[in-house]
Amino acid sequence: MRQLNLDQLRTLVAIADLGSFSAAARALHLAQPTVSLHISELESRLGAALVVRGSRRVSPTPAGAGLVGGGPRLAR
């Protein structure tokens, strides 16, 4: 596995906490496309889907939840 990017991990944690890409973008002071790019690159790097995109809410997959579980200690 290639090295994890802490900004991308921080973005995943924010999405899991806030439930949307837009809310995470606002909280992190990023553009929404940057948030999408962070997640896309992280998913590509890990070879697994990390979030389930619903019509109104985004939630972590089991792989995403596992990563988020360790994320707050690393990313905050």
Side-chain angles (χ1 to χ4, degrees):
M1 177 175 65
R2 296 182 302 195
Q3 193 171 18
L4 291 177
N5 178 307
L6 289 180
D7 288 333
Q8 294 169 347
L9 184 57
R10 186 176 293 118
T11 300
L12 177 63
V13 170
I15 290 169
D17 287 348
L18 301 171
S20 78
F21 281 56
S22 296
R26 284 190 300 274
L28 297 171
H29 306 288
L30 298 171
Q32 194 275 334
T34 302
V35 169
S36 295
L37 181 63
H38 280 187
I39 298 306
S40 169
E41 288 178 347
L42 193 55
E43 288 176 329
S44 177
R45 178 172 287 136
L46 297 174
L50 299 174
V51 295
V52 176
R53 294 152 177 89
S55 60
R56 297 203 183 258
R57 187 151 175 87
V58 177
S59 58
T61 63
L67 194 55
V68 167
R73 288 177 298 187
L74 295 171
R76 289 188 181 153

